[in-house]
């Protein structure tokens, strides 16, 4: 009788995300200045508002998160909302504002796409396309983002097993697009204490099974501002390759999910702590132009 | 101090589904021969294979379920599969086969649509469009089926609350399409004894909150043939307006979900039991042409 | 390739519960007048208040449920309460009141025991011992009720698999006590719409695996009065051998769980509907003295 | 409109656990040499086998974990097992072996008690009493451990909300015993990838609501050896006051839960990493005699 030895985990892969102007990079030698990497030697922080609301809001937030040390900007232009009568996002106008904030801050941006017919439009603006948790098994959308050639941030469904998450990623990979970054963002559970239940053990469990980078979203998972920083630090300790967090200059005025947004000052403090902690896990905080470096390693 | 009295439930609405040739009906006086109703005085049985596989399979099944007393035919042409490498359905060819089986059996059919770009194609063939549980919050798809004018069978997501199901239905209703039928099909839970956990209490709970008809899918919920009939009978007793079940002439050869398909003989027996039980709940089993009658009541 | 045929289900066993004076019955020929049976040909209704509060309350309720057709009385003397500062039940005094109500109504009673040290006391009064869902894996208690010789009503834990429920029953059986009746009472889930999620498919699933009788508790499962009757009827349709429901003459004054208690008039109506429906499932409503008859079949 | 500011969290309390010979300490000035503290400035590691199996096994393990830097020993003498036919622990003999291993290693030990009638016996040997997750709402047991005066390690039930965990702790506190340490050990969820779903966000969420120390059990939560170290590190990062982990010299020969036990060498490595990381969270690794120091701060 022998000790159970799990199969060796796959060698982690680095995924590069192009510069804010949209240059696509597929190989190390072509990694342009300004691109960002997700991989085993970095910890990549994506930050920004839940939804793009106004030019001022997104510009202010982008500059603040860039100054604090975020490597990428996030923000929703097309918002998946439970009710058709809630704010649905600014759509194409929101993409323009994100692009402007991206140029101003120097941060590439990721934004969600909801409809396969919008993939071209979104891919023309964004450095990375997000498939949200509600759409993790929207196979038409997965195929379309696969064909777009853009890197894809694929969030785990709120009741998806890891098997299903990996199978969903295959829909993108099967189109020849291997730049997929997985994201754990909490699953449905019975306790209303937090919005979802953040499954941090999914990070090392996925690591045993896939070479794809793995992010954590502590904002949507917990739904509570005061839990975001502890869970972001825990994500790093659990082996994640980065986080995606919500930051809003005035959370109380946010049109969606203000309750879970960090203030810029809290975010600044969090990034400092992550940067100090990262070397313990043989990582450095990704900088906005760290892609080239990552690719050359 | 007084006994809690819940607000009176909304008066249940009848949804009519047009004849197999596609005539749409919106009002009682125009209900054509051959249409089917979902509502408070009937119990409507939809049956057919999980996926359309061959002409022979779908024709045989359609005739068998019609003979047994089903009011509508079901069958998947576009299949949402966890893995991109599983059988994905016959697509447009599957729709043609369903339409042929519908004409031969006299049963209108419902089939799933996965992509907003396919809604027109599917609506040109099917009497009713199904939005599956994986797509319950695919808002682009919900809007598109809303615009199609076709009646919509909206399945509850595997981790969706009733609030979310009702909000998803609003996406269809907001497009001016009020012919929505809700369907409970089991939610994710911790016990692997059944595939999902059938939430039958959702039926009377939804009844307190919506006028829309409510179906139950005992096949996907349990994933086990031997549990389908007990749960179908329980659905009637719990107040459901009908069921949707999978029937396959040779379950062991099914390309998907054979484990949960009833044999035609089992289905025949089930329909007999439902017909005998229905009057206890002041219902009659819907016949394939019961829509006109339902509409005139 | 052949159709999957599940192994034949075990032949259902009848469990007899002795008369209110405590005579224990283990074999058909000794079944006394007044005992009650749980088994495949009857549908046994247990009813009464959540907690014993006053002499008047329990006497009134016992007479009302006996008049309506209940076969057994239920009531809590030792109450498992989430908080130590909530009403904990009347204890030994509650047992006396239940015994008195049992004699007055002619109904044997079942009551919960929480502490292995109380098993002797409770067994001296009650015809049947309940192990509640919080204690399903309280193995010391299971062993003690096993040794008591009294029939045991074993409720499924709120997060217990069927495997675990059956293994818990084995703790009682292993003590030589084979009079165990299982009870599904809802499991934890993510939707706050109902208190727990009633897993009715557990009834036919358990039937495939055990000869023990299977009850359903629609009161605790749903936590809402208006859902109790539909789920009680659905339990019968799903193949359950009976139900246990809460009835309170003045639910708004109940010290615990008033929100889920039926009024006596609602209960009366429910029993009528169950009696009318039972023959469709080849059952008759158990009467308070139906044990002898059941045992002789 | 103002930013939501959660109420200030209670000031964390330090719980002291007496020396292996059983001296009880309730106040700082009486903290004996050899006692261990759980509190805001330390990170306390409890380690040992799941079950006590043989003298050699427990002695070897105790010495190994002491050498590696554990502050306390764990080990099961009374084992709660799903089936009555599984190994149930060595009982009183196991307690003797634990006491011997405790003296040899200098580590106080914690062990589970299952039956209120065993509390006296267990308290005569162990420095700390564990109430396991299956018994979190075994109120008779909670009251008895409350009366024992011994510090109590209270594990969260597999489907317990934080409200329920805190209410269960009140049963101990209400007996005048305020030395309660809470422990998150994973909750039931739908994915079989891990044994339970470790709810690390419960750590900061509990911190907002209670002064009691909070531990994490990554062994039972994940059920997989290779996930234990990442989740132990994440527990520290999330703000936990310590961990309890399983270590076995020959996991493949373990009579229970060998699949999740660390090898002594892995444990050694884990403790080193925790010690290096702790100062980032303003903590030091608790030493076996750190209680006095903790109490005096």
């Amino acid at each position: 009788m022998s000790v159970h030895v799990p199969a060796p985990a796959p060698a982690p892969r680095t995924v590069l995300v192009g510069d804010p102007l949209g240059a696509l990079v597929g190989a190390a030698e072509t990694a342009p200045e300004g691109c960002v990497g997700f991989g085993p030697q970095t910890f990549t922080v994506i930050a920004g508002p839940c939804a793009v609301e106004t030019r001022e809001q997104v510009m202010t937030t982008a500059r603040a998160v860039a100054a604090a040390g975020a490597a990428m900007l996030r923000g929703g232009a097309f918002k998946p909302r439970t009710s058709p009568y809630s704010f649905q996002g600014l759509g194409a106008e929101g993409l323009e504002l994100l692009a402007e904030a991206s140029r101003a801050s120097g941060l590439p941006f990721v934004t969600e796409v909801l409809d396969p017919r919008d993939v071209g439009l979104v891919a023309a603006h964004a450095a990375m396309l997000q498939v949200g948790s509600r759409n993790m098994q929207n196979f038409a959308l997965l195929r379309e983002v696969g064909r777009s050639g853009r890197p894809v941030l694929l969030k785990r469904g709120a009741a998806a097993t890891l098997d299903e998450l990996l199978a969903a990623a295959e829909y993108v990979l099967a189109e020849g697009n291997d730049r997929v970054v997985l994201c754990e963002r909490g699953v449905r559970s019975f306790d209303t204490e937090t919005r979802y239940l953040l499954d941090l053990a999914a990070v090392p469990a996925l690591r045993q099974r896939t070479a794809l980078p793995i992010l954590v979203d502590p904002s949507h998972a917990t739904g509570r501002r005061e839990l975001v920083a502890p869970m972001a630090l825990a994500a790093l300790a659990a082996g994640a390759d980065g986080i995606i967090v919500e930051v809003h200059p005035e959370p109380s005025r946010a049109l969606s999910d203000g309750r879970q947004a960090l203030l810029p000052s809290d975010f600044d403090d969090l990034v400092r702590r992550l940067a100090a902690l990262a070397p313990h896990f043989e990582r450095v905080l990704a900088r906005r132009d760290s892609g080239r470096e990552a690719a050359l390693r």
Side-chain angles (χ1 to χ4, degrees), chain A:
Chain A
M1 206 182 185
S2 65
V3 173
H4 170 89
V5 180
R13 182 192 299 175
T14 293
V15 166
L16 296 178
V17 176
D19 75 357
L21 301 177
L24 296 179
V25 294
E29 55 274 28
T30 65
E33 291 302 319
C35 83
V36 171
F38 294 85
Q41 292 157 327
T42 48
F43 189 78
T44 306
V45 177
I46 309 176
C50 180
V52 176
E53 295 163 0
T54 64
R55 185 174 179 281
E56 188 192 338
Q57 168 241 20
V58 67
M59 293 296 279
T60 305
T61 310
R63 288 196 176 105
V65 301
M72 274 186 73
L73 178 66
R74 61 145 290 153
F78 297 96
K79 296 299 300 173
R81 300 305 297 275
T82 299
S83 162
Y85 314 122
S86 301
F87 174 60
Q88 305 279 316
L90 298 180
E93 186 194 338
L95 294 176
E96 303 281 357
L97 294 176
L98 281 164
E100 185 181 348
S102 174
R103 284 188 298 269
S105 63
L107 302 184
F109 78 94
V110 57
T111 196
E112 182 164 359
V113 57
L114 298 175
D115 187 327
R117 296 167 296 191
D118 291 336
V119 168
L121 173 68
V122 179
H125 290 81
M128 187 179 208
L129 306 181
Q130 178 180 311
V131 174
S133 62
R134 289 176 182 83
N135 285 308
M136 191 199 85
Q137 292 191 316
N138 180 339
F139 302 122
L141 182 64
L142 291 171
R143 285 202 188 91
E144 208 64 54
V145 298
R147 286 177 203 131
S148 77
R150 286 281 176 194
V152 174
L153 179 60
L154 177 61
K155 294 187 121 181
R156 181 184 183 184
T161 62
L162 298 191
D163 278 345
E164 290 168 335
L165 173 60
L166 292 170
E170 288 292 324
Y171 274 89
V172 181
L173 301 170
E175 300 294 331
N177 182 349
D178 64 357
R179 293 198 290 164
V180 179
V181 175
L182 305 175
C183 183
E184 159 61 29
R185 46 77 73 203
V187 294
R188 274 272 150 89
S189 191
F190 56 84
D191 199 347
T192 55
E193 188 79 19
T194 50
R195 191 168 170 188
Y196 293 95
L197 201 168
L198 183 60
D199 180 11
L200 269 190
V203 175
L206 283 168
R207 193 70 78 205
Q208 302 284 328
R209 301 182 57 186
T210 180
L212 299 174
I214 304 159
L215 298 197
V216 168
D217 177 347
S219 303
H220 283 91
T222 63
R224 292 170 55 185
R225 180 177 308 117
E226 65 273 23
L227 307 184
V228 170
M231 299 322 289
L233 295 164
L236 169 55
D241 299 309
I243 51 169
I244 176 166
V245 292
E246 293 189 0
V247 176
H248 196 287
E250 290 182 280
S252 64
R253 293 180 186 278
L255 296 182
S256 65
D257 289 345
R259 183 71 190 76
Q260 72 201 30
L262 292 179
L263 288 163
S265 57
D266 294 334
F267 177 69
D268 196 70
D269 181 56
L270 172 60
V271 175
R272 261 181 245 277
R273 298 194 67 187
L274 290 167
L277 207 58
H280 278 278
F281 300 95
E282 291 162 36
R283 295 178 183 270
V284 294
L285 214 64
R287 297 186 317 276
R288 64 182 98 167
D289 59 354
S290 61
R292 187 182 185 80
E293 200 176 322
L296 294 173
R297 267 198 291 260

